[in-house]
């Protein structure tokens, strides 16, 4: 009986497939739009799992060295600019809200509004990168970029324990992790811009792959939330290390 | 498209080529390079993988030739290091990891579950390009002087001191990693969402189950090694000292991160092979795989436990004794699901209607060699014995028994089993049997002496052993075996290519197998099935598949009562 039921479903599906022209929203390998959407969703989550593992290795390295050299992390992190980091945190959080609105309006089929909110999200992303660029530029100027020109000096007021533990190499290790992790995150922001901008234009133009269903937009938003969440971890780990 | 219930019966048996199929659907070069057909991508993978296998094989030939004399005969120590690194990098990252998934998984997962293609065909094509680009990087590194770190890229040697092409090689492995991630994601989505109506999880062939487990390992492990290797490059270029103790870094952290991927990676290499063997054993014993559910779940158990044992590569690398004990016990545990598979395969053969066609010979070799490889793994997982055996030829023999005796036997078995389906032609069976037997003999001759060598204390990765010249006999035996093995790998190249032009046309189901892929024409049409199949039978249900062997026997002689 169960089989008969599936059979019935299949007949409906195939009818739906037949109704679409070659260039309909459903790709040839799928039976119908539901199957396609569900595949996108599973695929996106599987992709995010790989992303978590990708960052995970770096977080592990961070944990190992923070545990090994707590004073180095405390002293080196004082060189980071908390107000700028905080601003960036707010920018990303706001952008996540914008992207939620974009999905919301896409669901209601208000295409112009959806595209607008996407563009605003992209604007936030640019803002984030510009601020990050200023931060990096400053580090470059004062010689906190790992490499041959790296310098690091402890303030005279530092505790004797700190003076013992902190070396230039270890401070460089901190900044190495800082640049590796925020840099990788920055690349993800850039990729986010490269995904959301064309998506917004496609929605405006009414490209059938993205307007007949809101799932592609929701998947892009999911990615954007992930980028946001990574920053939510990075910010306190680098900028807000407790001082004792 | 319309669909109807496909009876549990193979399509007509006359060997008849469909007028249009995936191979002759288009002929231009572009129709291959830009195809999104999973079958064509699988063929492209097959060709490129075989080329890399040849490159790795040539490196192996140099290694074996060098070791015929206690002082070495041709390579400087530097060149020897580069040779075994080339061998390891190419064989692991560019042959074994993609081998069965990217060729046979790609071709047959959609067919086995009754789908028209993988869920993301363009991602699939991208994965091939990534693989090729990664391969080009590795080849470029080889041309520009090679690498000498070993495939394990241990720091700080790789990140600070080696004078060879570490960066290029690592970029190659890094890019190839994304190709396997793409494949993994594609398989997971396909198996979740693209199954034909009626194809429930527990009607899936075990080949599909094992690829599902493999894909999980791929997406969880590969990103970790990717970022780790990237950190090695960063350290090499910027000297930031993440892994170099002189700069405050921790080289053991590298080993943890590396083996966190690379132990599970050995299951990326063997699980698909175990899946292939499930199909071969069942088909050629004409029996449902004994304990289907156990075999399916043991794949998942291997995938899960495989992530908890990486520390057994580091017993002498400065990890604490208690850590070592935990990793040791967990390593013993992971042998349990592997053993479940071997026992269940054996029980499947028992009282089966066995026919010893060449794929089955490969499957039988697999069972024996994989068992030896797995059991010797237990010697290495015991800390007390590992202190003696680590970094000797015993380890080399252990993993070759599994990766060559196991995974490559499975690859060859799969190639012969599915060749008629992929090409529409039968290969000459006698030659097939000969190659399979040669492989079994050559393999054992090559690697069994290495167990003895290792036990006698011969360390791996040295280009001489003149302090122990009495070991020469074992090295000579091993090189002789390698020669036979090389012959056994070359033979199929000739007769399989021959069969493309002169082989008899294959029927849709030449082995009397039960899978969905055998219920459509050979070679299949681009959409795989004329109509979306509806599955109403269990996996490995032979009740309505005609027993070809029996029919042939009946025709040859008057019927006799069938005994047990
Ligand atoms: C039955 C389960 C297995 C156990 C308990 C096991 C155990 C071990 C242990 C303890 C080592 C470390 C030896 C040392 O370096 O001192 C080792 C090495 C190795 N094993 Fe296994 N193993 C198993 C299965 C496999 C499989 C299935 C594969 C491959 C498909 C494999 C491939 C390797 C490789 C490549 C190495 C050497 C890595 C290197 O140092 O280059 N093993 N195994
Ligand atoms: Cu291992």
């Amino acid at each position: 009986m169960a089989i008969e039921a599936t059979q019935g479903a299949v007949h409906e599906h195939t009818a739906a497939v037949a109704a679409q022209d070659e260039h309909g929203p459903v790709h040839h390998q799928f039976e119908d739009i539901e199957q396609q959407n569900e595949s996108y969703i599973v695929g996106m989550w599987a992709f995010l799992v790989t992303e978590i593992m990708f960052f995970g290795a770096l977080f592990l390295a961070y944990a190992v060295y923070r545990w090994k050299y707590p004073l180095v992390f405390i002293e080196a992190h004082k060189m980071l600019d908390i107000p700028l980091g905080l601003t960036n945190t707010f920018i990303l959080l706001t952008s996540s809200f914008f992207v939620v609105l974009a999905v919301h309006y896409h669901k209601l089929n208000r295409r112009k509004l959806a595209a607008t909110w996407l563009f605003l999200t992209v604007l936030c992303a640019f803002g984030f990168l510009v601020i990050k660029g200023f931060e990096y530029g400053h580090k470059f100027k004062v010689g906190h970029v790992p490499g041959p020109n790296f310098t690091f000096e402890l303030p005279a007021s530092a505790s004797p324990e700190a003076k013992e533990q902190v070396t230039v190499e270890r401070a460089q290790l901190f900044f190495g992790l800082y640049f590796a992790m925020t840099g990788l995150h920055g690349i993800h922001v850039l990729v986010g811009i490269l995904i959301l901008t064309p998506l917004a234009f496609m929605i405006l133009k009414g490209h059938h792959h993205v307007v007949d269903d809101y799932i592609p937009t929701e998947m892009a938003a999911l990615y954007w939330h992930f980028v946001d969440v990574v920053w939510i971890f990075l910010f306190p780990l680098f900028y807000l290390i407790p001082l004792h | 498209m319309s669909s109807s219930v496909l009876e549990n019966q193979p399509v007509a048996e006359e060997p008849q080529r469909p007028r249009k199929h995936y191979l002759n659907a288009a002929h231009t070069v572009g129709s291959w390079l830009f195809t999104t057909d999973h079958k064509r991508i699988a063929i492209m993978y097959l060709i490129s993988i075989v080329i890399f296998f040849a490159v790795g094989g040539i490196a192996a030939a140099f290694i074996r030739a060098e070791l015929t004399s206690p002082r070495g005969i041709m390579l400087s120590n530097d060149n020897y290091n580069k040779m075994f690194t080339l061998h390891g990098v190419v064989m692991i990252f560019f042959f074994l990891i993609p081998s069965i998934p990217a060729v046979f998984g790609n071709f047959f997962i959609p067919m086995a579950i009754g789908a028209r293609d993988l869920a993301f065909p363009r991602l699939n094509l991208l994965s091939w390009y990534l693989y090729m680009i990664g391969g080009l990087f590795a080849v470029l590194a080889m041309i520009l002087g090679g690498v000498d770190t070993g495939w394990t890229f241990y720091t700080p040697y790789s990140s600070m001191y080696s004078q060879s092409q570490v960066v290029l090689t690592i970029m190659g492995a890094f890019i190839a990693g994304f190709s396997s991630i793409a494949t993994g994601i594609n398989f997971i989505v396909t198996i979740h969402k693209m199954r034909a109506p009626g194809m429930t999880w527990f009607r899936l062939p075990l080949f599909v189950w094992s690829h599902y487990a493999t894909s999980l390992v791929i997406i969880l492990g590969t990103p970790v090694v990717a970022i780790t290797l990237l950190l090695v490059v960063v350290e090499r270029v910027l000297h930031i000292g993440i892994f170099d103790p002189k700069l405050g870094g921790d080289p053991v952290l590298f080993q943890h991160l590396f083996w966190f991927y690379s132990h599970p990676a050995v299951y990326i290499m063997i699980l698909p092979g175990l899946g292939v063997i499930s199909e071969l054993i069942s088909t050629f014993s004409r029996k449902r795989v004994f304990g289907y559910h156990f075999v399916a779940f043991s794949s998942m158990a291997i995938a899960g436990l495989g992530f908890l044992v990486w520390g057994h590569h580091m017993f002498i690398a400065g990890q604490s004794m208690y850590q070592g004990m935990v990793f040791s016990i967990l390593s013993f545990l992971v042998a349990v699901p592997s053993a479940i598979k071997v026992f269940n395969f054996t029980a499947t053969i028992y009282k089966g209607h066995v026919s010893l066609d060449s794929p089955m010979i490969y499957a039988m070799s697999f069972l024996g060699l994989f068992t030896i490889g797995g059991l010797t793994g237990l010697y290495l997982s015991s800390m007390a014995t590992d202190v003696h055996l680590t970094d000797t030829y015993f380890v080399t023999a252990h993993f070759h028994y599994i990766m060559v005796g196991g995974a490559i036997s499975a690859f060859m078995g799969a190639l012969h089993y599915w060749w008629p389906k992929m090409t529409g032609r039968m290969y000459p069976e006698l030659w097939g049997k000969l190659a399979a037997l040669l492989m079994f003999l050559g393999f054992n001759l090559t690697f069994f002496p290495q167990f003895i060598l290792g036990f006698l204390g011969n360390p791996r990765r040295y280009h001489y052993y003149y302090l122990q010249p009495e070991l020469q006999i074992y090295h000579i035996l091993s090189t002789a075996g390698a020669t036979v093995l090389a012959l056994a790998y070359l033979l199929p190249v000739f007769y399989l290519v021959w069969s493309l032009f002169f082989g008899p046309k294959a029927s849709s189901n030449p082995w009397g197998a039960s899978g969905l892929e055998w219920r459509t024409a050979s070679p299949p049409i681009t959409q795989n099935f004329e109509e979306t199949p509806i599955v109403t039978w269990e996996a490995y249900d032979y009740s309505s598949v005609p027993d070809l062997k029996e029919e042939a026997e009946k025709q040859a002689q008057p019927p006799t009562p069938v005994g047990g």
Side-chain angles (χ1 to χ4, degrees):
Chain A
M1 291 163 322
I3 291 154
E4 277 164 20
T6 28
Q7 240 174 287
V10 168
H11 281 303
E12 271 170 38
H13 290 183
T14 36
V17 171
Q20 285 147 10
D21 67 311
E22 266 254 277
H23 301 285
V26 180
H27 287 285
H28 75 94
Q29 70 271 30
F30 297 113
E31 294 286 341
D32 54 30
I33 190 85
E34 283 104 274
Q35 192 187 29
Q36 173 168 312
N37 284 342
E38 288 172 10
S39 300
Y40 286 169
I41 293 170
V42 177
M44 192 64 199
W45 279 106
F47 170 71
L48 290 183
V49 167
T50 69
E51 287 278 35
I52 290 171
M53 297 307 288
F54 208 60
F55 279 99
L58 286 170
F59 279 106
L60 180 77
Y62 174 93
V64 166
Y65 292 118
R66 177 155 165 192
W67 176 71
K68 212 168 161 183
Y69 307 126
L71 297 176
V72 177
F73 274 58
I74 288 177
E75 291 303 329
H77 103 282
K78 289 180 186 160
M79 305 295 144
L80 300 181
D81 194 326
I82 297 183
L84 287 186
L86 201 62
T87 317
N88 258 348
T89 310
F90 279 118
I91 291 182
L92 272 195
L93 283 176
T94 314
S95 75
S96 253
F97 177 60
F98 288 170
V99 91
V100 168
L101 287 178
V103 176
H104 174 73
Y105 284 112
H106 198 165
K107 266 189 205 169
L108 300 179
N109 220 357
R110 313 267 305 263
R111 276 164 34 200
K112 276 209 176 109
L113 270 175
T116 311
W117 287 114
L118 281 180
F119 281 126
L120 284 175
T121 311
V122 171
L123 198 67
C124 288
F126 270 116
F128 177 92
L129 285 183
V130 168
I131 292 182
K132 203 87 218 128
F134 276 117
E135 280 191 78
Y136 281 1
H138 178 72
K139 299 276 162 322
F140 203 77
K141 242 185 11 227
V142 296
H144 285 165
V145 179
N149 298 325
F150 184 82
T151 57
F152 184 79
E153 260 172 63
L154 270 183
S157 59
S159 66
E161 293 93 338
K163 279 180 181 147
E164 195 173 315
Q165 192 177 85
V166 180
T167 62
V168 176
E169 282 85 16
R170 290 173 185 167
Q172 181 175 246
L173 185 56
F174 173 87
F175 282 102
L177 285 170
Y178 167 79
F179 277 104
M181 294 172 81
T182 57
L184 189 65
H185 176 260
I187 291 174
H188 279 78
V189 174
L190 201 65
V191 171
I193 293 175
L194 294 178
I195 292 173
L196 295 177
T197 316
L199 178 67
F201 278 115
M202 281 163 88
I203 291 177
L204 271 188
K205 278 203 188 140
H207 195 289
H208 58 74
H209 272 312
V210 298
V211 293
D212 290 9
D213 205 281
Y214 68 92
I215 290 292
T217 311
E218 179 153 310
M219 291 304 105
L222 199 55
Y223 171 81
W224 191 250
H225 290 318
F226 170 79
V227 174
D228 196 14
V229 167
V230 171
W231 180 256
I232 296 299
F233 280 94
L234 288 181
F235 176 61
L237 284 179
F238 280 107
Y239 292 77
L240 304 180
I241 300 178
L243 291 180
H244 43 271
Chain B
M1 275 194 98
S2 70
S3 66
S4 68
V5 179
L6 197 68
E7 288 302 318
N8 184 9
Q9 249 163 28
V11 280
E13 278 305 328
E14 312 90 67
Q16 171 188 83
R17 213 167 229 241
R19 248 168 289 130
K20 270 279 181 219
H21 51 72
Y22 84 102
L23 286 171
N24 66 11
H27 290 286
T28 59
V29 176
S31 76
W32 283 90
L33 290 182
F34 301 111
T35 182
T36 52
D37 181 351
H38 66 108
K39 298 183 287 301
R40 284 184 162 219
I41 297 172
I43 298 286
M44 296 201 293
Y45 256 121
L46 176 63
I47 296 168
S48 18
I49 274 168
V50 165
I51 293 172
F52 277 104
F53 184 56
V55 173
I58 291 169
F62 275 102
I63 297 173
R64 281 321 319 164
E66 169 76 3
L67 293 174
T68 48
S69 151
R71 290 187 176 275
I73 59 167
M74 57 208 295
L75 298 174
S76 66
N77 44 6
D78 249 7
N79 283 339
Y80 183 80
N81 293 349
K82 287 178 179 171
M83 219 38 110
F84 72 68
T85 305
L86 176 69
H87 171 69
V89 168
V90 167
M91 286 301 198
I92 288 187
F93 295 114
F94 297 101
F95 174 70
L96 260 186
I97 287 183
S99 63
I100 295 179
V103 178
F104 302 108
N106 220 338
F107 202 114
F108 290 108
I109 286 176
M111 299 196 68
I113 66 178
R116 281 191 286 273
D117 205 321
L118 288 173
F120 306 124
R122 282 177 294 184
L123 183 67
N124 195 19
L125 182 64
L126 176 70
S127 95
W128 182 75
Y129 277 101
L130 287 175
Y131 168 78
M132 290 309 279
I133 294 170
L136 281 183
F137 270 84
V139 169
L140 196 65
M142 177 180 83
I143 293 170
L144 294 180
V147 214
D148 62 355
T149 60
W151 78 279
T152 46
F153 301 111
Y154 267 23
T155 54
Y157 181 68
S158 62
S159 63
M160 305 299 280
Y161 302 106
S162 168
Q163 301 287 343
S164 56
Q165 301 290 347
V166 178
V167 173
L168 272 181
T169 313
I170 284 186
M171 290 321 291
F174 181 80
I175 297 171
F178 284 95
S179 126
S180 58
I181 291 177
T183 305
I185 292 179
N186 226 336
F187 285 177
I188 288 179
V189 177
T190 305
I191 297 169
H192 267 282
K193 290 293 162 200
M194 309 286 283
R195 285 170 287 127
M199 180 55 95
T200 59
W201 280 92
F202 291 111
R203 282 177 178 169
L204 287 176
L206 291 164
F207 176 73
V208 178
W209 267 104
S210 70
H211 273 83
Y212 185 71
T214 310
S215 306
L216 289 179
V217 178
I218 288 178
I219 70 164
L220 289 172
T222 316
V224 176
V225 83
I227 202 75
T228 309
L229 293 179
L230 206 60
L231 285 177
V232 172
V233 170
V234 170
E235 171 154 312
R236 215 178 143 78
V237 175
L238 295 177
H239 300 282
I240 53 170
I242 291 192
F243 300 128
D244 180 11
K246 236 174 59 190
L247 300 176
D250 186 351
V252 179
L253 176 65
F254 171 83
Q255 297 186 19
H256 277 294
L257 289 171
F258 182 81
W259 289 115
F260 177 83
Y261 163 76
S262 292
H263 182 81
V266 306
Y267 295 110
I268 299 177
M269 301 177 227
I270 197 68
L271 274 172
L274 287 160
V276 167
I277 300 303
S278 313
E279 302 305 300
L280 300 187
I281 297 268
S282 169
T283 300
F284 294 98
S285 307
R286 240 187 116 68
K287 254 177 81 184
R288 180 177 164 83
V289 172
F290 180 83
Y292 171 97
H293 289 80
F294 277 90
V295 179
F297 283 122
S298 68
S299 290
M300 302 303 283
I302 288 177
L305 284 172
F307 274 105
L308 305 177
V309 303
W310 75 89
H312 66 213
H313 295 272
M314 303 163 57
F315 285 144
I316 59 158
Q319 87 190 345
S320 82
M321 185 181 70
Y322 298 104
Q323 232 177 326
M325 281 159 65
V326 172
F327 279 126
S328 175
I329 292 168
L330 288 169
S331 305
F332 277 89
L333 271 186
V334 79
V336 173
S338 317
I340 288 180
K341 286 191 189 274
V342 172
F343 287 132
N344 283 17
F345 292 154
T346 316
T348 310
I349 299 174
Y350 181 64
K351 289 200 174 166
H353 187 78
V354 177
S355 36
L356 285 177
D357 296 301
S358 19
M360 185 60 163
I361 299 181
Y362 282 113
M364 298 278 217
S365 315
F366 178 100
L367 282 189
L369 302 178
F370 176 71
T371 304
I372 297 179
L375 287 178
T376 51
L378 298 179
Y379 291 68
L380 297 172
S381 318
S382 317
M383 279 193 281
T385 39
D386 185 65
V387 172
H388 178 60
L389 297 171
T390 190
D391 270 331
T392 68
Y393 271 91
F394 194 92
V395 176
T396 316
H398 153 70
F399 66 74
H400 281 88
Y401 260 81
I402 298 182
M403 308 212 291
V404 181
I408 297 185
S409 294
F411 181 84
M412 298 300 281
L415 187 61
H416 286 79
Y417 177 60
W418 277 307
W419 186 258
K421 182 55 68 182
M422 296 168 81
T423 66
R425 300 286 183 154
M426 295 304 287
Y427 57 87
E429 181 58 33
L430 200 65
W431 285 99
K433 282 190 175 126
L434 180 71
L437 286 174
L438 266 188
M439 207 206 74
F440 182 75
L441 294 177
F443 174 83
N444 279 301
L445 189 54
T446 311
F447 289 104
F448 198 81
Q450 298 194 2
F451 278 128
I452 304 173
L453 279 172
F455 194 75
L456 294 177
N458 192 354
R460 62 193 276 215
R461 294 184 170 176
Y462 280 69
H463 75 301
Y464 58 71
Y465 46 96
Y466 58 77
L467 299 175
Q468 270 177 300
E470 70 275 14
L471 298 180
Q472 186 175 17
I473 176 69
Y474 301 109
H475 278 293
I476 299 253
L477 283 177
S478 184
T479 304
T483 316
V484 178
L485 198 53
L487 195 66
Y489 290 142
L490 273 176
L491 265 182
V493 176
F494 291 110
Y495 65 74
L496 287 180
V497 171
W498 177 88
S499 79
L500 284 181
F501 302 99
F502 308 109
K505 296 200 166 147
S507 69
S508 66
N509 189 1
W511 311 118
S514 69
L516 264 183
E517 74 268 30
W518 301 105
R519 295 165 201 252
T520 184
S522 307
I525 53 170
T526 302
Q527 300 81 358
N528 293 347
F529 300 94
E530 300 283 352
E531 304 170 334
T532 304
I534 293 177
V535 182
T536 56
W537 60 91
E538 300 304 314
Y540 310 116
D541 175 2
Y542 291 94
S543 54
S544 59
V545 183
D547 187 338
L548 302 176
K549 277 278 143 58
E550 204 154 78
E551 276 169 16
E553 274 163 26
K554 263 192 217 143
Q555 278 181 355
Q557 54 185 256
T560 44
V562 186

